[in-house]
Amino acid sequence: MNISFCSRYPFTSEAKEFVSSRKGGLSYDEIELAKKRVLSALSDGEIPAINTQYEEVLRQEIFSYAGARVIVACLQSRYLKGRYAVAESKRIGRYLHKEDDVVIAKVAQELGLTVRPGSQNGSYEINFIDYLKAAPKSIDYKLVNKKLSKGMVLLNRNELIRVIEEAARIRIETTLPTDISIVPPELKKAAEELKAQLPKEEAFGGKVLMSEEEYPPCVKDLLRRLRNSENLPHTARWYLAVFLLQSGMKAEDVIALFRTAPDFNEHTTRYQVEYIARKGYRVPSCASVDSYGLCTAACNVKNPLNYGKKRAGEMSG
Amino acid sequence: MGEEVQLPIVGGEESFIRGLFCAYYEKCDAAFLAPPLIEQREFGLGTWNKKIESRHMWFKSPAELKSYLVRNTPFFISYSTAYYEFPDRRPMPKKNWLGADLVFDLDADHLRRECVEHGEHEEEWVCEKCLENVRDETIKLIEEFLMPDFGFSENEILINFSGQRGYHVHIRTSEILGMGSWARREIADYIAGVGLDASSIFPTINGRMTGPTPESQGWYGRIARRFLQLLEAEKLEVIGVEKSLARRFVKNKEKVIEGVKRGNWDTVKMTQQQKGELAKKVIESAGVHVEGFKEAGSEVDAGVTFDISKLIRLPESLHGETGLAARRISGVSELAGFDPLSGAVVFGDKPIRVKCSRVPKFIMKGVEYGPFNSEEVELPEHAAVYLICKRKATLWR
């Protein structure tokens, strides 16, 4: 049993074994740590990494994860679950950057990804089927832009860690407890206390100032998904921001809309939205939107911005 | 005596063809017709006038399928590439999806057809050139993508003729069955070259144009190899490279080839725009045109996503618009020499009198027929069936 490994990667079978080997529930301190873990994940979008080898602290880390999962499940919000999983996966990513290849491969294996060293130094190979299970949904990670040979996708170290991070996010989010009726009362109480400390969920939602009627189906779909706190891929966010800015929405309101994203970070979003506004990116053509996998309907326009115009024309004509 | 009197048999075609189809299914072994795990597949059937008339059908065993085909003889039979717990339940979510084969649908219709553009025949007609093009495209899919890049072995790749003007490629290895729609779309995008980031392939297109070498992996090397292949064959203008630029490349062939082998794509003079165009054209021509994608990098069919509840022609069943069988093909070497108008013919040579409308020249089992223009002719059964199914002929007796 490697306590240090388990504390860094508490979702692994080794860590789970460690947790279940102890009799009795969580201590008061452990529950407090679990609450703190959830709170930082949900409010800051980050869970601080610890830098100690002191066993007692490592042990507490593992139990705080076990408690945090249950507390998040008790919050019964898809948005908060998603945001929590993003923060946990980012924490894992930060640790992975410091690991050697053996540990990286072991963590990947735990998540169902078989990784082997590539022919060049610092390169890795992963089966394309595994890759597609956890590839981030952005142009850089699109299979067509990756080197693929004999069924293996070639990745560099940073790319591999990003893929493992995404696999961890999916694993953590989809394996949160679902039956909260069996949750011990002290954890339920912790969840109630935490709820009081969190900003009201409605406060995360932005206000759409202009009529959504004129938005094309692809944009409406993205807004709907965003409001459902789905973790939208980078390209989708970029497209949405460009479209909204070009259709006249103020940067401030665009930023507000992204508050429902599970990994919302005001600083990053502001930087990106303002950057897009400054650059004055033009709305991509429908063909490009489709190639990003975002097209949802055959509206018969060449550019998404023309959708509203066409509809207006049809209505008046 | 009656030999001289020729009368049109109105509406007789449907029952004539059905009789022949029925006899074919009667002779087929049930196991030969059934797809693997038949009890988990949904079936769709078509009538003389409609390719898919009913869906959500379920056959528990090969024998049950065969008896249905013999008893009811539909003109089209398709089955789900997906496996379901309850194939006959509806709506779709009640079927409980268990997984799906990975299937590629290549159709002559998805490719550029010069014969149609040049008015050699109408769009619905399929000539040898159409069939050869889609066959070559299928070989390209297998030899340049599925085997080298995706690492599938030849015995994992199952090929069959579609029964009309294309080919289907099925992969059923256990690892791919659970893949979701998004992952399948990524594979299709890869094969068609959709979403390729040209700026990472030609990173310095704005200055001295550097790019991939023939040895580069994945799409990178494919683009270099495709370019060199076209250059060696002096066919760059075929893919839409400006004539004057194509000539310049050919004139400096040696130098250009040497350059690309080292990743230097800037050996002849090109404007910024020409560099961009060249990159785009080579990328487009190196992809495979699978169903749903018209052109790499652009013009993607709107609204088409990778359908994981698709119905596809049942191999070895007959196609109601041709009378040809959706023949299984053992591998690339058989495919390379496969001519559907011989290899997928199942009917015999008994003479049948038909009245043809306008029919271009065609070759079946090595024999040339036509062109016909509103005339009565006697054709061997297989050729008569072909024209009747294509609604190009009616029975005359």
Side-chain angles (χ1 to χ4, degrees):
Chain A
M1 176 71 55
N2 182 338
I3 299 236
S4 172
F5 176 84
C6 292
S7 75
R8 278 168 286 156
Y9 310 106
F11 63 88
T12 54
S13 48
E14 199 174 321
K16 272 189 226 156
E17 234 172 80
F18 175 75
V19 172
S20 55
S21 70
R22 192 177 74 172
K23 299 219 166 58
L26 300 179
S27 71
Y28 175 79
D29 283 353
E30 286 160 349
I31 292 177
E32 282 306 303
L33 284 169
K35 265 166 68 183
K36 226 172 117 188
R37 188 176 185 121
V38 178
L39 190 62
S40 10
L42 301 184
S43 51
D44 313 335
E46 263 181 46
I47 297 167
I50 48 145
N51 293 306
T52 176
Q53 289 306 315
Y54 182 50
E55 271 205 23
E56 189 48 37
V57 172
L58 298 178
R59 198 168 285 138
Q60 284 174 338
E61 272 289 288
I62 303 171
F63 285 106
S64 84
Y65 171 78
R69 290 176 71 243
V70 180
I71 293 174
V72 169
C74 291
L75 297 175
Q76 288 182 292
S77 150
R78 185 174 162 182
Y79 164 73
L80 295 175
K81 284 179 187 172
R83 189 166 165 86
Y84 170 73
V86 169
E88 283 286 358
S89 73
K90 288 198 171 150
R91 172 184 167 280
I92 289 160
R94 280 201 301 280
Y95 280 121
L96 283 172
H97 279 287
K98 295 181 211 146
E99 305 286 8
D100 62 22
D101 288 357
V102 178
V103 177
I104 290 183
K106 187 175 168 188
V107 174
Q109 191 67 53
E110 274 282 341
L111 293 163
L113 311 173
T114 307
V115 175
R116 65 181 194 210
S119 50
Q120 288 157 334
N121 210 3
S123 74
Y124 302 83
E125 287 182 351
I126 175 170
N127 180 287
F128 80 93
I129 297 168
D130 286 354
Y131 177 74
L132 289 176
K133 284 180 200 157
K137 293 185 173 67
S138 75
I139 288 284
D140 300 347
Y141 287 88
K142 229 179 137 48
L143 189 61
V144 73
N145 290 317
K146 286 278 156 273
K147 290 181 175 161
L148 175 65
S149 178
K150 298 197 174 68
M152 303 302 278
V153 181
L154 190 72
L155 299 175
N156 65 32
R157 194 178 152 95
N158 287 342
E159 290 169 334
L160 175 67
I161 291 175
R162 180 70 188 87
V163 171
I164 298 175
E165 220 181 277
E166 181 65 9
R169 182 190 69 77
I170 297 168
R171 167 71 58 89
I172 291 168
E173 187 171 344
T174 52
T175 56
L176 286 174
T178 46
D179 184 6
I180 57 167
S181 66
I182 51 167
V183 170
E186 61 274 21
L187 282 169
K188 271 189 187 153
K189 192 169 146 256
E192 286 307 317
E193 286 164 10
L194 194 72
K195 249 186 212 167
Q197 290 177 56
L198 286 173
K200 282 267 167 289
E201 245 185 84
E202 294 80 58
F204 287 101
K207 207 175 157 196
V208 182
L209 297 170
M210 55 184 293
S211 153
E212 270 186 54
E213 274 304 292
E214 286 172 6
Y215 294 160
C218 50
V219 171
K220 283 185 193 149
D221 183 57
L222 290 177
L223 283 173
R224 180 188 58 76
R225 288 165 61 189
L226 189 62
R227 292 196 180 110
N228 284 334
S229 300
E230 211 175 291
N231 197 27
L232 291 180
H234 177 77
T235 350
R237 295 172 192 222
W238 176 83
Y239 168 58
L240 189 59
V242 170
F243 181 90
L244 294 173
L245 289 167
Q246 288 291 323
S247 65
M249 193 182 276
K250 291 201 177 64
E252 206 56 45
D253 296 323
V254 177
I255 295 166
L257 273 175
F258 280 98
R259 279 183 195 281
T260 48
D263 56 353
F264 179 74
N265 173 311
E266 170 126 14
H267 178 75
T268 315
T269 308
R270 179 169 300 279
Y271 175 80
Q272 286 175 344
V273 170
E274 285 174 355
Y275 181 79
I276 291 169
R278 209 164 50 243
K279 277 275 189 176
Y281 284 117
R282 286 166 55 194
V283 176
S285 69
C286 289
S288 306
V289 174
D290 191 16
S291 78
Y292 309 152
L294 303 175
C295 179
T296 54
C299 1
N300 249 335
V301 292
K302 288 260 157 68
N303 188 288
L305 271 183
N306 294 337
Y307 180 79
K309 289 179 200 151
K310 184 172 171 271
R311 270 185 46 112
E314 277 168 4
M315 280 192 233
S316 64
Chain B
M1 189 177 92
E3 289 270 336
E4 312 306 314
V5 192
Q6 303 210 336
L7 291 170
I9 316 245
V10 180
E13 288 78 21
E14 185 179 339
S15 62
F16 172 69
I17 299 291
R18 173 165 291 151
L20 288 172
F21 276 28
C22 176
Y24 168 80
Y25 290 125
E26 210 168 359
K27 271 188 298 181
C28 282
D29 195 43
F32 174 73
L33 285 170
L37 290 172
I38 186 171
E39 68 282 6
Q40 295 182 357
R41 310 275 192 173
E42 176 200 352
F43 282 78
L45 306 168
T47 60
W48 183 242
N49 294 313
K50 204 170 166 202
K51 272 192 180 179
I52 293 187
E53 169 75 31
S54 46
R55 285 189 69 158
H56 314 289
M57 303 275 297
W58 179 36
F59 300 108
K60 287 185 224 51
S61 67
E64 200 176 298
L65 170 70
K66 178 174 168 170
S67 351
Y68 186 92
L69 296 182
V70 171
R71 197 188 293 272
N72 300 292
T73 319
F75 288 98
F76 301 91
I77 306 131
S78 45
Y79 76 109
S80 62
T81 60
Y83 304 86
Y84 301 104
E85 191 179 357
F86 310 108
D88 53 344
R89 288 201 188 163
R90 52 202 296 196
M92 294 310 277
K94 289 211 170 152
K95 293 191 193 304
N96 194 17
W97 190 87
L98 301 171
D101 301 334
L102 181 61
V103 176
F104 301 94
D105 178 359
L106 293 96
D107 190 306
D109 219 22
H110 305 148
L111 305 174
R112 189 172 160 204
R113 295 207 284 174
E114 284 185 11
C115 35
V116 174
E117 282 168 27
H118 295 164
E120 286 169 32
H121 59 79
E122 47 191 5
E123 238 183 292
E124 298 82 64
W125 189 259
V126 188
C127 71
E128 300 101 84
K129 262 183 276 174
C130 300
L131 289 169
E132 276 168 26
N133 282 347
V134 69
R135 183 185 71 196
D136 293 347
E137 197 77 353
T138 310
I139 295 173
K140 181 162 133 191
L141 168 72
I142 297 168
E143 288 193 330
E144 294 183 27
F145 289 90
L146 297 181
M147 288 166 65
D149 288 11
F150 288 93
F152 292 113
S153 64
E154 198 172 350
N155 57 27
E156 291 170 332
I157 300 170
L158 311 168
I159 313 161
N160 67 277
F161 175 58
S162 75
Q164 190 184 23
R165 55 180 179 203
Y167 292 91
H168 298 157
V169 175
H170 307 244
I171 295 170
R172 300 192 175 117
T173 53
S174 56
E175 310 84 67
I176 62 98
L177 300 183
M179 255 186 339
S181 176
W182 180 82
R184 287 164 201 260
R185 171 85 189 215
E186 279 290 294
I187 293 173
D189 279 356
Y190 184 94
I191 283 160
V194 170
L196 260 180
D197 181 10
S199 66
S200 73
I201 292 166
F202 296 102
T204 57
I205 199 160
N206 292 321
R208 190 168 156 275
M209 188 173 175
T210 55
T213 74
E215 274 83 45
S216 309
Q217 276 169 309
W219 262 91
Y220 293 73
R222 170 169 301 107
I223 288 164
R225 291 192 299 274
R226 176 71 177 154
F227 175 76
L228 293 181
Q229 178 199 351
L230 290 163
L231 175 63
E232 306 242 25
E234 303 188 3
K235 277 189 168 166
L236 280 168
E237 66 278 4
V238 175
I239 62 162
V241 174
E242 269 172 67
K243 275 212 174 99
S244 59
L245 181 60
R247 270 202 301 273
R248 207 174 311 147
F249 273 122
V250 171
K251 229 175 99 189
N252 298 292
K253 212 194 238 180
E254 302 290 296
K255 195 170 80 174
V256 176
I257 294 174
E258 272 316 298
V260 170
K261 282 186 178 164
R262 284 178 287 110
N264 175 12
W265 287 64
D266 221 339
T267 42
V268 305
K269 207 170 160 241
M270 280 184 280
T271 64
Q272 215 38 64
Q273 197 190 348
Q274 284 176 321
K275 286 180 189 174
E277 277 292 299
L278 177 70
K280 190 168 163 249
K281 299 289 181 197
V282 177
I283 290 171
E284 275 170 17
S285 80
V288 167
H289 297 77
V290 290
E291 196 242 311
F293 300 88
K294 278 189 183 148
E295 208 181 287
S298 65
E299 291 292 318
V300 183
D301 249 5
V304 176
T305 51
F306 238 70
D307 191 353
I308 52 170
S309 43
K310 191 182 169 69
L311 296 183
I312 198 156
R313 186 93 28 242
L314 180 69
E316 301 294 349
S317 70
L318 298 175
H319 193 293
E321 279 176 5
T322 59
L324 299 172
R327 274 277 179 263
R328 290 193 189 96
I329 294 162
S330 63
V332 176
S333 51
E334 190 192 341
L335 178 59
F338 189 79
D339 168 23
L341 292 185
S342 299
V345 172
V346 298
F347 296 116
D349 302 326
K350 195 176 112 190
I352 306 284
R353 304 193 85 169
V354 292
K355 175 159 182 175
C356 301
S357 57
R358 270 186 68 177
V359 175
K361 192 175 78 181
F362 66 101
I363 302 169
M364 264 184 117
K365 288 173 97 172
V367 180
E368 193 176 304
Y369 302 96
F372 302 125
N373 197 354
S374 302
E375 55 195 292
E376 292 142 36
V377 284
E378 194 172 83
L379 293 173
E381 187 179 68
H382 57 266
V385 169
Y386 184 63
L387 293 186
I388 292 171
C389 286
K390 279 185 167 299
R391 313 296 164 101
K392 289 285 184 193
T394 49
L395 287 169
W396 275 67
R397 293 217 176 101

